[in-house]
């Protein structure tokens, strides 16, 4: 019989022979009269062919079953190729779920074969019993085909599963199957998500998670680099976020970042896990969204409490106000008295060590000695003027022209001394450097240099005016000395009015506003935003973002509000 064509037998014999071959074909195996042809250029794709001499009615029924056989081969090939961990945990989990489905399918084939051996199975009956699997296996084959053509993994595989399930809205059985596949495939992904939002750990050996870690960015850069991107880019969102997490991706990222900060501080972070808080599925009840929100609230509250209580964030900000915004005047006055000689030298001739010792003396001999944070205060001597420093800070919201400021600075007849370049430095440690970064500290220093210089000018004018008072007994009416005295007094009033405006109209109210907002802040990102806004507003209202005021060559009409303030304060 092996050498005869199928059409040479009676129809009843043909039916028995083709059923035997069909049972093999359903298991992906060639028979005597049913052959398998590989599709060129498509790995895993096959077509089944039947002996053309077979009875036409039997051929028609047989060809109806071939799609099921071809789908089985395609899905089986996918399961074998994606069962390796190198393809990612999501694909591995999907392959395991598909394998479990194929076991049910193979059990059906085994039952059909048993019926055939008992003589109870016809081709029509075989076609009838295969109906239950046709639509399900075809939907999986379509899924597998798209996964192969797009080489999906991780989030892309989950998104594909979800889109395919939604496309099957009219077939509840198939949709339920695809949703089950999505749930199985997402289990590994949800374990990664769970570790991130509950521990702040990226457990992603195959690069599937939608959060990336840039290990080249270190937290130390926050205190060293003005343009440090640690907080923004150490952990970031990748492309291809799972659609069911799209709306909470930023919350998930922030939650893990907060937990990371606490872990790097040596703070034992332990999120209390219950059965309800485990991320087991992303079903329609949206329980996973509640878990993520709870994790965020916990991490945000814990970090904020840690920063305020253990690391005394508000106290550090108050110290910055005391020293760099000149809230404590007696320290500065005493320092300027004892450091006068050193500060009049050129920057390259100044001994920073000597200045530091004088700063320490001023701190210990004034009310600042009672402040435990005064030990964090050091000093430095800049190598450029305030104008030049402003040109190097490209992110400031101002209209500075580097060429104009540079030329103006060069044209200044005055040689720079320590009085124009002296600056205080405040040591900030992790994790406070998240809020008081190098960029934030630089902005404090810009304001300090302006205030310090104004203080110096006020002291010089006051000294000059006192000297001129020694000539009061001399008849000087109409002389240059009188005119000089009047000019000196007017300048002194203006400078003192400016200092009063900067201190009591700008820095003090803005600091209190910031302090009140910090008390109600609910996250460290909100704290950073409030602090940055405070500094930017102070820079603007201290006129440091108005180049027309600082560059002599600019022709400028002063803003009316500021002019009226100065006139009112100067009488």
């Amino acid at each position: 019989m092996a050498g005869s064509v199928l059409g040479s037998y009676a129809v009843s014999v043909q039916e028995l022979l083709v059923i035997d071959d069909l049972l093999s074909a359903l298991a992906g195996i060639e028979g005597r009269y049913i052959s398998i042809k590989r599709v060129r250029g498509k790995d895993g794709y096959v077509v089944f062919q039947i002996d053309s001499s077979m009875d036409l009615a039997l051929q028609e029924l047989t060809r109806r079953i071939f799609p099921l056989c071809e789908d089985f081969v395609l899905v089986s090939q996918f399961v074998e190729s994606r069962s390796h961990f190198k393809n990612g945990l999501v694909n591995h989990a999907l392959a395991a779920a598909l394998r479990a489905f194929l076991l049910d399918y193979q059990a059906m084939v085994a039952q059909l074969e048993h019926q055939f051996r008992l003589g109870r199975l016809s081709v029509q009956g075989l076609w009838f019993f295969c109906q239950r699997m046709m639509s399900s296996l075809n939907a999986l084959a379509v899924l597998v085909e798209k996964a192969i053509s797009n080489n999906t993994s991780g989030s892309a595989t989950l998104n594909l599963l979800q889109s395919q399930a939604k496309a099957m809205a009219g077939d509840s059985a198939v949709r339920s199957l695809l949703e089950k596949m999505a749930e199985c495939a997402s289990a590994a992904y949800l374990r990664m998500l769970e570790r991130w939002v509950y521990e702040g750990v990226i457990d992603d050996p195959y690069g599937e998670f939608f959060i990336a870690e840039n290990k080249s960015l270190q937290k130390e850069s926050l205190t060293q680099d003005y343009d440090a991107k640690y907080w923004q880019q150490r952990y970031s969102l990748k492309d291809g976020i799972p659609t069911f997490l799209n709306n909470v991706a930023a919350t998930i990222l922030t939650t893990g970042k907060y937990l990371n900060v606490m872990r790097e501080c040596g703070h034992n972070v332990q999120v209390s896990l219950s059965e309800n808080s485990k991320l087991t599925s992303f079903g329609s009840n949206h329980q996973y969204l509640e878990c993520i929100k709870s994790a965020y609230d916990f991490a945000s509250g814990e970090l904020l409490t840690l920063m305020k209580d253990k690391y005394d964030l508000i106290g550090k900000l108050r110290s910055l106000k005391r020293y760099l915004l000149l809230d404590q005047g007696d320290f500065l006055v005493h320092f300027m008295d004892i450091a006068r000689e050193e500060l009049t030298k050129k920057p390259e001739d100044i001994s920073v060590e000597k200045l530091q010792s004088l700063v320490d003396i001023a701190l210990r001999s004034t009310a600042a000695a009672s402040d435990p944070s005064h030990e964090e205060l050091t000093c430095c001597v800049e190598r450029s003027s305030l104008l030049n420093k402003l040109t190097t800070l490209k992110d400031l919201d101002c209209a500075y022209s580097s060429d104009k400021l540079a030329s103006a600075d060069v044209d200044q007849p005055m040689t720079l001394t320590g009085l124009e370049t002296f600056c205080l430095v405040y040591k900030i440690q992790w994790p406070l450097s998240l809020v008081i970064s190098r960029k934030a500290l630089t902005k404090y220093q810009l304001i300090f240099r302006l205030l310090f210089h104004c203080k110096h000018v006020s002291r010089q004018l006051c000294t000059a005016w006192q000297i001129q008072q020694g000539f009061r007994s001399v008849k000087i009416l109409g002389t240059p000395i009188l005119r000089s005295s009047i000019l000196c007094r007017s300048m002194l009033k203006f400078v003192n009015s400016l200092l009063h405006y900067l201190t009591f109209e700008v820095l003090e109210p803005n600091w209190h506003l910031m302090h009140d907002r910090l008390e109600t802040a609910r996250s460290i990102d909100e704290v950073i935003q409030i602090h940055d806004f405070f500094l930017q507003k102070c820079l603007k209202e201290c006129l440091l973002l108005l180049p027309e005021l600082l560059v002599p060559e600019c022709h400028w009409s002063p803003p009316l509000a500021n002019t009226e303030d100065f006139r009112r304060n100067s009488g």
Side-chain angles (χ1 to χ4, degrees):
M1 285 177 53
S4 305
V5 295
L6 187 58
S8 63
Y9 301 107
V11 173
S12 60
V13 177
Q14 288 183 38
E15 184 174 12
L16 292 174
L17 292 172
V18 80
I19 291 174
D20 190 43
D21 274 13
L22 276 172
L23 290 170
S24 297
L26 287 169
I29 303 170
E30 278 189 322
R32 286 174 293 177
Y33 304 105
I34 295 178
S35 59
I36 299 176
K37 299 294 182 184
R38 302 284 175 184
V39 178
R40 183 177 297 176
K42 288 191 173 183
D43 188 31
Y45 292 80
V46 299
V47 292
F48 284 78
Q49 296 178 338
I50 186 67
D51 188 333
S52 60
S53 66
M54 188 173 68
D55 178 73
L56 292 178
L58 287 174
Q59 281 192 47
E60 176 63 24
L61 282 172
T62 302
R63 287 197 174 95
R64 289 182 185 180
I65 300 173
F66 279 173
L68 183 62
C69 305
E70 292 164 0
D71 290 343
F72 170 75
V73 172
L74 180 60
V75 174
S76 296
Q77 290 278 353
F78 178 84
V79 169
E80 291 303 316
S81 65
R82 296 300 192 276
S83 292
H84 305 291
F85 280 115
K86 67 180 182 180
N87 295 298
L89 297 176
V90 172
N91 279 338
H92 188 269
L94 175 60
L98 290 171
R99 182 181 285 106
F101 175 84
L102 292 181
L103 286 175
D104 291 340
Y105 167 85
Q106 289 166 334
M108 180 201 74
V109 174
Q111 290 172 354
L112 291 172
E113 186 173 1
H114 179 66
Q115 293 297 313
F116 175 63
R117 299 304 174 206
L118 295 176
R120 300 174 184 172
L121 189 65
S122 63
V123 173
Q124 186 70 44
L126 181 62
W127 163 244
F128 173 78
F129 287 118
C130 286
Q131 289 298 302
R132 183 174 63 87
M133 282 288 183
M134 289 288 283
S135 57
S136 297
L137 196 55
N138 179 252
L140 294 179
V142 171
L143 169 73
V144 163
E145 185 178 0
K146 291 184 177 181
I148 292 173
S149 61
N150 296 319
N151 194 27
T152 63
S153 64
S155 302
T157 299
L158 295 179
N159 288 338
L160 176 61
L161 279 163
Q162 278 201 300
S163 64
Q164 290 300 109
K166 289 178 181 177
M168 293 294 171
D171 190 332
S172 59
V174 173
R175 176 166 185 165
S176 177
L177 173 65
L178 290 173
E179 287 176 345
K180 182 180 178 182
M181 292 291 158
E183 184 176 335
C184 293
S186 67
Y189 203 88
L190 290 174
R191 282 195 294 272
M192 295 183 219
L193 177 60
E194 198 172 71
R195 288 211 68 189
W196 175 251
V197 297
Y198 290 149
E199 301 176 41
V201 174
I202 293 182
D203 186 7
D204 183 22
Y206 304 104
E208 300 171 277
F209 199 44
F210 66 93
I211 293 175
E213 179 181 9
N214 186 351
K215 293 185 177 180
S216 65
L217 296 176
Q218 299 297 317
K219 62 180 183 290
E220 290 76 17
S221 65
L222 288 168
T223 57
Q224 299 166 0
D225 183 6
Y226 180 85
D227 294 314
K229 302 296 182 184
Y230 175 85
W231 188 239
Q232 294 80 13
Q233 297 179 8
R234 173 61 188 247
Y235 296 100
S236 58
L237 296 175
K238 297 194 291 191
D239 294 332
I241 300 169
T243 52
F244 65 94
L245 294 176
N246 258 331
N247 294 333
V248 290
T251 302
I252 292 169
L253 172 66
T254 305
T255 302
K257 285 169 66 175
Y258 290 169
L259 293 171
N260 259 286
V261 173
M262 289 186 279
R263 199 174 68 251
E264 291 205 31
C265 292
H267 184 64
N268 184 24
V269 183
Q270 185 61 51
V271 182
S272 55
L273 289 177
S274 63
E275 286 301 318
N276 292 332
S277 63
K278 290 185 178 179
L279 299 173
T280 54
S281 68
F282 54 90
S284 56
N285 62 356
H286 300 305
Q287 178 259 346
Y288 70 98
L289 295 178
E290 292 298 321
C291 294
I292 291 169
K293 183 180 183 304
S294 297
Y296 170 79
D297 290 341
F298 171 82
S300 178
E302 281 288 302
L303 179 56
L304 203 54
T305 301
L306 185 72
M307 295 279 272
K308 287 184 175 181
D309 294 350
K310 182 177 179 180
Y311 294 98
D312 191 22
L313 172 63
I314 303 299
K316 296 298 182 186
L317 292 174
R318 193 172 285 111
S319 289
L320 283 169
K321 174 175 179 274
R322 183 178 295 120
Y323 300 119
L324 272 76
L325 303 185
L326 304 190
D327 189 44
Q328 184 156 352
D330 59 338
F331 148 72
L332 187 70
V333 170
H334 186 45
F335 169 75
M336 295 180 82
D337 286 336
I338 61 178
R340 183 188 302 115
E341 182 180 347
E342 196 69 21
L343 289 174
T344 54
K345 297 179 182 177
K346 295 181 180 179
E348 58 271 20
D349 297 331
I350 294 175
S351 168
V352 178
E353 292 78 10
K354 184 175 180 180
L355 274 185
Q356 181 61 55
S357 65
L358 294 174
V359 167
D360 292 338
I361 291 171
L363 288 169
R364 288 195 297 268
S365 56
T366 59
S370 60
D371 178 15
S373 298
H374 79 266
E375 295 180 357
E376 308 297 328
L377 200 65
T378 61
C379 69
C380 69
V381 177
E382 300 283 355
R383 297 299 175 184
S384 60
S385 67
L386 181 58
L387 281 176
N388 269 343
K389 185 67 174 179
L390 288 165
T391 65
T392 64
L393 307 179
K394 306 300 183 185
D395 66 313
L396 293 181
D397 185 18
C398 65
Y400 281 116
S401 166
S402 299
D403 295 337
K404 182 179 288 291
L405 286 177
S407 62
D409 204 44
V410 169
D411 292 341
Q412 288 179 354
M414 180 184 65
T415 302
L416 287 179
T417 66
L419 292 164
E420 292 79 36
T421 56
F422 172 77
C423 195
L424 291 178
V425 180
Y426 197 88
K427 295 178 185 176
I428 299 294
Q429 303 298 327
W430 172 266
L432 293 179
S433 53
L434 286 172
V435 180
I436 312 169
S437 62
R438 178 63 193 163
K439 178 179 287 188
L441 189 60
T442 299
K443 292 178 179 180
Y444 275 107
Q445 290 174 326
L446 291 174
I447 298 171
F448 171 81
R449 291 181 68 178
L450 174 65
L451 295 174
F452 184 81
H453 191 64
C454 288
K455 283 277 190 183
H456 162 65
V457 172
S458 175
R459 284 164 59 88
Q460 292 292 90
L461 288 170
C462 186
T463 302
W465 184 79
Q466 287 174 348
I467 292 173
Q468 289 166 351
Q469 295 310 296
F471 294 95
R472 291 182 65 180
S473 58
V474 182
K475 189 176 181 181
I476 56 173
L477 187 61
T479 64
I481 294 178
L482 176 61
R483 290 194 294 271
S484 173
S485 177
I486 295 172
L487 175 61
C488 182
R489 184 175 60 184
S490 298
M491 291 174 65
L492 182 58
K493 283 186 177 181
F494 175 80
V495 173
N496 287 338
S497 297
L498 175 59
L499 279 169
H500 182 276
Y501 166 77
L502 295 177
T503 303
F504 297 104
E505 301 289 336
V506 176
L507 300 176
E508 196 68 27
N510 281 325
W511 196 91
H512 283 291
L513 180 62
M514 177 191 71
H515 181 271
D516 292 342
R517 293 180 65 191
L518 289 178
E519 291 296 323
T520 59
R522 302 185 62 183
S523 71
I524 202 65
D525 278 300
E526 191 177 347
V527 168
I528 294 171
Q529 185 180 6
I530 291 170
H531 185 240
D532 288 348
F533 178 79
F534 159 74
L535 288 173
Q536 194 68 16
K537 194 166 187 287
C538 287
L539 285 173
K540 183 176 182 180
E541 295 183 8
C542 284
L543 313 179
L544 286 168
L545 302 186
L546 292 175
E548 296 87 352
L549 285 179
L550 298 177
V551 183
E553 285 81 355
C554 292
H555 298 288
W556 169 69
S557 298
L560 182 59
N562 291 335
T563 307
E564 289 177 349
D565 283 338
F566 292 157
R567 285 175 179 170
R568 183 173 65 252
N569 291 330
S570 61

